[in-house]
């Protein structure tokens, strides 16, 4: 082709592209404000906030225009239309990114920032799939954006002569960009792509160097005060401890004076019969931090403690109570690999873990959303499963629940029934117009709150039938506040109730003093240590202290708050709150007053960030001498690491498992086990890899080892059919017909997929029948077994 005859695109066409880009951004901004309006988040679409958002979109367009002008000019001079096509594609990609980030903001009500780096690709996929998915919306959105961009480009051809009379376009763009730098914006009116880029840059360049001579800065020099002692009549036997961490349970929904009250009647009643802290703060704005904060009073690391590549030595309520004779267990209806929960629990040597994989066929999963995905089992099914499990009346227990129903996509069982209850409550209660508007537009969310409240009521009713109910302490709290419901201020996301109920309570009390999840474990251990001779480390390292029992509102603690993974942007400094660069006064009802200067508060946050990075990156929370359970650290030789890296190139563990599986099929058993060991060191709940190690061991002739591994797989995941399939093979090859027959009963009782291995079940039955017949014939031939023959029956 003779390129000399092809006209080059000029500044005119480039200008039209940028105007089309801005026009598309403007439509996306209108979409954002319209969505938030119909969700009840904003009161008006075209207001001051919208105008500020438009200004920021102009600034973003200007910045993009200045940056892309150079490649456009270079490629157009090099070859006609190349520059135009390049810029067109880049602008289209930027529009897609902005559309996705705006959709995220409309759901989460916070812009996506550096927390993006804190989640694995698998976690991101799982969250998208279980929060409504993308289904047909993504392709439709792409078509709309393409049509919108092309439409604006066509329209500009008719009006370009007006623009052509202006100064050179690049100068105008640069001037607009400079102007927008002096107009302050909030997350709602920032360009979301620009916000993400700047947030990632700030996080990656932040200085967290530690400047102190204290090697273990978290170790406490003084014992924690026993502030709960006067409220409990403890028995001679140690009490059971039951934690229920309720997804999204914010203070705005629970207790007297709740902004969105009436949707948790059981919990509301429980607050009046308990020790109730109405101003507790979760230390993270997402679920990823609740376990380490609530049960370990642990620092965050960069992206949350459970995201650390290698766990430092630590003390938690799990480890200390297990060391004092407690049976420790954890229950959730979702996948425990999400947020590395399984890895954290494995490091605590728990006695029992239940997750989505262990329910069996007697329990009904949460309904699938529009994209065909489900988080797992709803809250009442979780409690039903837990209540079906045996409990030893002689051994104290620590049981921890993590619920899921009050999470997107908010589709509780019997949804229509609960939505009717929401409508009834709206007609009976006198909500102000704004609150009523939010409830009406989010009736599925409030219906789910009603369902979860019923599930909690069921759980307490069933616990009354369990051994030693009268010697049990229950702690109920939220992991963070529900995100889709509009929040009063930047602190609302962390504001959760803390309820401590027990038949052992001598008196009840409501506290208004400010506390955090960091304070719960130190306070409980202080209570137990004062009554019982606990085996405790000589020193402890907690982020928190004793719970403040003040009835009147007061704030005397320093509390760091991690909004999202990688985002430490809030810090409570007694009566001051640092949030996103501003300092506010902390007032009654957790309101934020006028902002003012406070460099000391910001300095405290910076000091905490440095200490937080130091102790988590350098294993300086506690020394080895204080650790109850040394963190299990798989050791690999240098040559093993080199080989592992040669076959593992950053793929997800499902793909690495396939490599280990192929190695086993090729009889490279040692290499297969090595790679499997590496997978399990990083993802301890990867059930396929565990089953593979069981299979490889039997292929190597290690029958007993194989049986031990596969039995553990079944205990961990009673529903997973591959574990049974592998164990049936082991029993068949080792001629253990009795065990095979017992396994038939087990798989038929626990697995909904038993039909998939029907042939192996029938084989086990035939083998057992054959062996019984053989025994019968042998007894007939042996004259010394006459009595036995008369009473022996063939089943």
């Amino acid at each position: 082709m003779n390129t000399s005859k092809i006209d080059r695109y000029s500044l005119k066409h480039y200008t039209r592209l940028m105007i089309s880009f801005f026009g598309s951004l403007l439509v996306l901004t209108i979409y954002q404000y319209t969505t938030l309006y119909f969700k009840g988040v904003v009161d008006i679409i075209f207001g001051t906030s919208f105008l500020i958002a438009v200004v920021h979109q102009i600034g973003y367009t200007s910045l993009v225009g200045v940056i892309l002008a150079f490649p456009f000019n270079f490629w157009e001079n090099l070859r006609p239309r190349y520059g135009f096509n390049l810029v067109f594609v880049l602008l289209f990609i930027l529009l897609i990114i902005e559309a996705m980030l705006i959709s995220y903001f409309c759901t989460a009500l916070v812009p996506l920032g550096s927390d993006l780096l804190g989640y694995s690709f698998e976690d991101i996929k799982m969250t998208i799939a279980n929060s409504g998915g993308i289904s047909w919306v993504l392709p439709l959105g792409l078509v709309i954006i393409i049509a919108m961009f092309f439409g604006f480009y066509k329209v500009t051809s008719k009006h370009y002569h007006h623009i052509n009379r202006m100064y050179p376009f690049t100068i105008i763009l640069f001037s607009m960009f400079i102007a927008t730098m002096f107009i302050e914006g909030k997350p709602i009116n920032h360009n979301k792509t620009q916000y993400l880029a700047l947030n990632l840059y700030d996080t990656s360049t932040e200085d967290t160097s530690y400047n102190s001579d204290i090697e273990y800065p978290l170790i406490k020099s003084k014992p924690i005060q026993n502030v709960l002692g006067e409220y409990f009549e403890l028995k001679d036997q140690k009490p059971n401890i039951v934690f229920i961490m309720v997804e999204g349970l914010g203070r705005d929904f629970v207790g007297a004076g709740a902004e969105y009250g009436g949707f948790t009647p059981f919990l509301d009643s429980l607050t009046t019969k308990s020790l109730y802290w109405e101003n507790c703060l979760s230390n993270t704005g997402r679920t990823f931090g609740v376990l380490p904060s609530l049960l370990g009073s642990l620092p965050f690391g960069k992206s949350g403690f459970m995201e650390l590549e290698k766990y430092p030595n630590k003390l938690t309520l799990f480890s200390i109570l297990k060391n004092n004779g407690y049976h420790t267990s954890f229950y959730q209806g979702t996948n425990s690999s999400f947020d590395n929960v399984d890895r954290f629990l494995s490091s605590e040597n728990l006695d029992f873990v239940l997750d989505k994989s262990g329910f069996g066929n007697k329990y009904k999963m949460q309904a699938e959303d529009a994209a065909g995905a489900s988080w797992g089992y709803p809250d009442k099914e979780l409690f039903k499963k837990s209540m079906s499990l045996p409990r030893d009346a002689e051994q104290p227990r620590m049981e921890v629940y993590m619920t899921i129903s009050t999470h997107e996509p908010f589709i509780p069982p019997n949804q229509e029934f609960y939505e009717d209850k929401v409508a009834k409550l709206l007609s009976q209660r006198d909500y102000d117009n704004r609150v009523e508007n939010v409830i009406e537009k989010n009736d599925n969310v409030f219906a789910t709150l009603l369902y979860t409240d019923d599930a909690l009521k069921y759980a307490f009713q069933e616990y009354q039938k369990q051994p030693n109910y009268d010697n049990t302490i229950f702690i109920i709290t939220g992991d963070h506040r529900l995100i889709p419901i509009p929040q009063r201020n930047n602190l609302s996301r962390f504001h959760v109730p803390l309820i401590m109920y027990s038949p052992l309570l001598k008196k009840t009390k409501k506290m208004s003093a400010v506390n955090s999840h960091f304070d719960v474990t130190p306070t409980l251990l202080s209570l137990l240590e004062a009554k019982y001779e606990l085996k405790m480390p000589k020193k402890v390292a907690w982020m928190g202290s004793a719970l403040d029992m003040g009835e009147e509102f007061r704030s005397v603690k320093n509390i760091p708050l991690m909004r999202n993974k990688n985002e430490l942007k809030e810090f409570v400094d007694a009566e001051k709150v640092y949030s996103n660069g501003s300092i506010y006064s902390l007032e009654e009802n957790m309101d934020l007053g006028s902002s003012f200067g406070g460099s000391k508060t910001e300095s405290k946050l910076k000091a905490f960030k440095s200490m937080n990075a130091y102790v988590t990156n350098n294993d300086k929370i506690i020394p080895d001498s204080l650790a109850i359970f040394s963190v299990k650290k798989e050791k690999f030789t240098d040559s093993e690491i080199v080989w592992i890296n040669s076959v593992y190139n950053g793929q997800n563990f499902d793909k690495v498992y396939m490599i280990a599986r192929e190695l086993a099929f090729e009889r490279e058993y040692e290499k297969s086990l090595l790679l499997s060991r590496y997978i399990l060191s990083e993802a301890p709940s990867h059930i396929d890899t565990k089953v593979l190690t069981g299979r490889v061991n039997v292929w190597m002739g290690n029958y007993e080892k194989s049986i031990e591994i596969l039995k553990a797989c079944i205990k961990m995941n009673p529903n997973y059919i591959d574990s049974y399939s592998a164990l049936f093979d082991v029993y068949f090859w080792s001629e253990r017909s009795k065990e095979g027959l017992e396994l038939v009963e087990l798989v038929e009782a626990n697995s909904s997929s038993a039909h998939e291995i029907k042939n192996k079940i029938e084989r086990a039955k035939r083998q057992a029948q054959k062996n019984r017949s053989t025994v019968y014939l042998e007894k007939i031939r042996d004259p010394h077994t006459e009595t036995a023959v008369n009473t022996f029956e063939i089943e």
Side-chain angles (χ1 to χ4, degrees):
M1 180 183 293
N2 187 355
T3 59
S4 62
K5 295 182 180 179
I6 301 177
D7 291 333
R8 288 183 173 84
Y9 281 93
S10 63
L11 179 62
K12 169 184 176 180
H13 301 93
Y14 183 73
T15 305
R16 289 172 57 195
L17 274 181
M18 298 313 302
I19 293 173
S20 304
F21 180 63
F22 169 71
S24 301
L25 288 175
L26 181 61
V27 172
L28 290 175
T29 303
I30 295 172
Y31 162 77
Q32 171 188 285
Y33 278 86
T34 303
T35 302
L36 294 177
Y37 174 77
F38 282 107
K39 289 183 70 173
V41 179
V42 298
D43 299 323
I44 187 172
I45 298 175
F46 300 106
T48 303
S49 180
F50 176 81
L51 293 176
I52 295 174
V54 172
V55 172
H56 278 276
Q57 295 292 23
I58 292 173
Y60 177 65
T61 303
S62 305
L63 177 62
V64 171
V66 170
I67 293 173
L68 294 185
F70 300 101
F72 172 83
N73 186 60
F74 174 80
W75 284 103
E76 277 300 318
N77 289 330
L78 187 67
R79 192 159 187 178
R81 298 191 180 179
Y82 271 39
F84 179 88
N85 292 335
L86 172 66
V87 170
F88 182 90
V89 170
L90 290 176
L91 292 178
F92 176 68
I93 292 172
L94 289 175
L95 286 174
I96 295 297
I97 293 172
E98 181 69 9
M100 294 174 68
L101 292 175
I102 284 176
S103 296
Y104 176 88
F105 179 80
C106 289
T107 300
L109 303 183
V110 290
L112 186 64
S114 56
D115 52 316
L116 175 67
L117 302 178
Y119 291 94
S120 67
F121 181 65
E122 293 302 313
D123 283 354
I124 293 171
K125 286 200 303 182
M126 188 184 301
T127 301
I128 293 173
N130 291 305
S131 298
I134 53 177
S135 59
W136 50 269
V137 176
L138 180 59
L140 177 62
L142 291 174
V143 170
I144 291 174
I145 291 173
I146 292 173
M148 183 169 60
F149 197 22
F150 266 116
F152 277 118
Y153 185 75
K154 292 293 184 183
V155 169
T156 56
S157 64
K158 299 178 181 180
H159 304 284
Y160 181 76
H161 59 282
H162 297 297
I163 302 167
N164 197 36
R165 298 170 185 167
M166 299 180 185
Y167 289 101
F169 188 59
T170 52
I171 297 176
I172 296 171
L173 288 176
F174 188 73
S175 301
M176 288 181 174
F177 171 65
I178 295 297
T180 56
M181 294 177 66
F182 297 96
I183 299 177
E184 184 181 359
K186 299 295 182 183
I188 188 173
N189 40 47
H190 277 305
N191 174 273
K192 305 303 181 289
T193 308
Q194 188 174 349
Y195 179 93
L196 174 61
L198 291 174
N199 200 263
L200 290 171
Y201 173 79
D202 289 342
T203 300
S204 61
T205 58
E206 188 174 39
D207 179 19
T208 56
S209 55
Y210 180 69
N211 301 309
S212 175
D213 296 330
I214 303 175
E215 186 177 8
Y216 293 95
L218 285 177
I219 288 182
K220 303 292 183 183
S221 57
K222 296 180 180 179
I224 302 295
Q225 182 183 359
N226 178 21
V227 296
L228 297 178
E230 64 179 283
Y231 299 93
F232 283 89
E233 188 69 54
L234 295 177
K235 300 184 178 184
D236 292 337
Q237 185 183 11
K238 299 185 188 80
N240 298 320
I241 307 292
V242 177
F243 280 87
I244 304 178
M245 301 175 296
V246 183
E247 170 70 37
L249 186 68
R251 168 64 177 90
D252 289 343
F253 311 101
V254 178
E259 184 178 15
Y260 300 97
F263 298 95
T264 57
F266 171 72
L267 285 181
D268 292 345
S269 173
L270 199 64
T271 62
T272 65
K273 306 169 186 175
S274 308
L275 296 178
Y276 169 47
W277 291 265
E278 65 174 353
N279 290 325
C280 184
L281 295 172
S282 62
N283 295 100
T284 57
R286 291 278 192 179
T287 311
F288 69 87
V290 66
L291 272 172
S293 300
L294 186 66
L295 304 179
S297 197
L298 290 164
F300 305 118
K302 185 176 182 180
S303 305
F305 190 91
M306 294 193 299
E307 293 292 328
L308 292 172
E309 185 175 345
K310 292 183 179 180
Y311 290 150
N313 287 323
K314 61 190 185 300
L315 295 170
T316 71
L317 196 60
F318 274 133
S319 60
I320 292 174
L321 292 189
K322 183 177 174 66
N323 195 42
N324 283 275
Y326 275 74
H327 180 279
T328 54
S329 54
F330 178 83
Y331 308 90
Q332 69 176 129
T334 57
N335 191 337
S336 62
S337 65
F338 189 81
D339 276 336
N340 290 319
V341 168
D342 59 345
R343 186 165 155 258
F344 179 79
L345 298 176
S346 176
S347 73
E348 293 300 301
N349 294 326
L350 261 66
D351 295 304
F352 179 76
V353 175
L354 172 74
D355 78 347
K356 178 180 179 179
S357 62
F359 276 71
N361 56 6
K362 296 180 182 179
Y363 303 91
K364 189 174 181 181
M365 287 183 65
Q366 177 179 292
E368 294 180 346
D369 58 25
S374 170
W375 274 113
Y377 292 86
D379 297 344
K380 193 169 184 179
E381 296 298 288
L382 171 65
F383 294 125
K384 283 182 180 178
K385 176 65 179 180
S386 167
M387 294 300 117
S388 73
L389 300 171
R391 286 169 168 80
D392 184 354
E394 301 303 316
Q395 184 180 19
R397 302 176 64 87
M398 177 185 172
E399 302 182 341
V400 179
Y401 294 87
M402 182 179 286
T403 72
I404 190 58
S405 294
T406 39
H407 191 289
E408 290 101 350
F410 303 107
I411 43 176
N414 206 359
Q415 184 170 1
E416 186 175 343
F417 168 78
Y418 286 106
E419 288 184 351
D420 287 343
K421 288 187 72 172
V422 172
K424 188 175 181 180
L425 277 168
L426 277 172
S427 65
Q428 293 175 343
R429 292 176 66 102
D430 186 24
Y431 296 103
D432 67 46
N433 291 337
R434 186 189 65 81
V435 170
E436 184 174 343
N437 186 39
V438 170
I439 295 172
E440 286 178 345
K441 293 175 178 178
N442 297 275
D443 60 340
N444 61 325
V445 178
F446 290 92
T448 311
L449 275 171
L450 285 167
Y451 163 77
T452 291
D453 189 69
D454 276 354
L456 291 167
K457 182 179 180 180
Y458 165 83
F460 273 78
Q461 290 171 343
E462 291 301 306
Y463 259 108
Q464 292 177 18
K465 305 172 187 177
Q466 295 294 331
N468 296 326
Y469 165 76
D470 60 346
N471 193 27
T472 303
I473 299 173
F474 296 90
I475 298 97
I476 304 99
T477 189
D479 57 347
H480 56 81
R481 182 202 187 272
L482 273 170
I483 292 173
I485 302 302
Q487 300 167 22
R488 290 182 295 119
N489 55 51
N490 287 356
L491 213 56
S492 295
R493 184 166 178 172
F494 306 95
H495 191 190
V496 296
L498 176 63
I499 305 168
M500 193 175 292
Y501 171 80
S502 176
L504 298 169
L505 278 173
K506 293 190 292 184
K507 55 183 177 179
T508 63
K509 185 178 180 181
K510 184 180 85 168
M511 279 65 63
S512 295
V514 177
N515 292 277
S516 83
H517 282 167
F518 280 153
D519 303 318
V520 176
T521 283
T523 305
L524 274 175
L525 284 173
S526 180
L527 170 69
L528 298 177
E529 194 177 12
K531 171 70 175 178
Y532 310 101
E533 294 183 2
L534 294 187
K535 292 183 287 184
M536 288 280 292
K538 294 179 181 179
K539 295 181 179 179
V540 294
W542 308 126
M543 285 291 301
S545 57
L547 285 163
D548 190 335
M549 305 297 290
E551 291 186 74
E552 302 300 321
F553 177 83
R554 69 182 180 193
S555 180
V556 296
K557 296 174 180 282
N558 289 339
I559 307 172
L561 303 170
M562 180 174 267
R563 184 191 307 175
N564 296 303
K565 293 182 180 182
N566 287 328
E567 291 189 348
L568 260 169
K569 295 188 172 183
E570 274 81 22
F571 189 87
V572 175
D573 177 16
E575 296 179 348
K576 296 178 182 177
V577 177
Y578 177 91
S579 179
N580 226 15
S582 298
I583 308 281
Y584 303 90
S585 60
L586 180 55
E587 301 175 354
E588 200 161 355
N589 299 320
M590 303 302 277
D591 290 329
L592 297 183
S594 302
S595 60
F596 54 89
S599 58
K600 289 184 178 179
T601 300
E602 186 173 4
S603 297
K604 287 183 180 181
L605 175 57
K606 289 181 178 178
F608 170 76
K609 288 181 178 180
S610 299
M611 184 275 294
N612 171 64
Y614 165 73
V615 298
T616 52
N617 293 337
N618 298 285
D619 194 4
K620 295 296 182 181
I621 296 178
I622 57 171
D624 292 343
S625 60
L626 296 181
I628 293 176
F629 300 131
S630 296
V631 177
K632 294 180 180 178
K633 298 175 182 176
E634 283 285 356
K635 295 181 179 179
F636 301 94
T637 66
D638 292 342
S639 60
E640 286 175 338
I641 288 294
V642 170
W643 179 80
I644 289 170
N645 291 338
S646 73
V647 296
Y648 170 64
N649 299 312
Q651 308 102 316
N652 64 47
F653 287 116
D654 288 335
K655 292 182 179 178
V656 186
Y657 157 74
M658 294 304 295
I659 298 172
R661 184 169 173 264
E662 286 301 317
L663 288 168
F665 289 164
E666 295 169 4
R667 299 180 182 272
E668 295 279 358
Y669 297 140
E670 295 295 341
K671 288 185 176 180
S672 177
L673 288 176
L674 172 60
L675 195 55
S676 296
R677 188 158 60 92
Y678 176 76
I679 296 171
L680 293 173
S681 71
E682 298 293 323
S685 67
H686 200 277
I687 186 69
D688 285 325
T689 303
K690 288 189 174 184
V691 173
L692 178 63
T693 60
R695 289 189 179 278
V696 171
N697 269 281
V698 75
W699 294 338
M700 296 172 69
N702 302 326
Y703 285 90
E704 297 301 327
K705 181 68 174 176
S706 175
I707 291 171
E708 178 187 346
I709 293 171
L710 294 172
K711 279 186 173 181
C713 289
I714 290 172
K715 182 179 179 181
M716 180 183 81
N717 190 337
N719 188 47
Y720 195 58
I721 199 62
D722 282 6
S723 305
Y724 297 99
S725 178
L727 191 52
F728 271 124
D729 288 339
V730 178
Y731 285 154
F732 178 74
W733 295 331
S734 59
E735 297 184 348
R736 304 183 190 215
S737 57
K738 180 182 177 182
E739 290 88 341
L741 201 60
E742 291 171 350
L743 189 61
V744 170
E745 297 177 5
L746 192 64
V747 67
E748 290 178 343
N750 290 330
S751 180
S752 57
S753 305
H755 62 279
E756 295 180 10
I757 57 168
K758 183 178 179 180
N759 59 330
K760 293 188 179 183
I761 292 174
E762 294 301 323
R763 184 182 67 183
K765 291 179 179 179
R766 288 195 303 270
Q767 187 183 43
Q769 180 71 31
K770 179 181 177 182
N771 285 352
R772 281 200 286 274
S773 300
T774 301
V775 171
Y776 178 71
L777 292 172
E778 287 176 352
K779 288 183 178 181
I780 291 176
R781 294 192 188 101
D782 189 344
H784 300 290
T785 60
E786 184 176 351
T787 304
V789 170
N790 292 334
T791 58
F792 188 85
E793 295 182 3
I794 301 177
E795 295 181 9

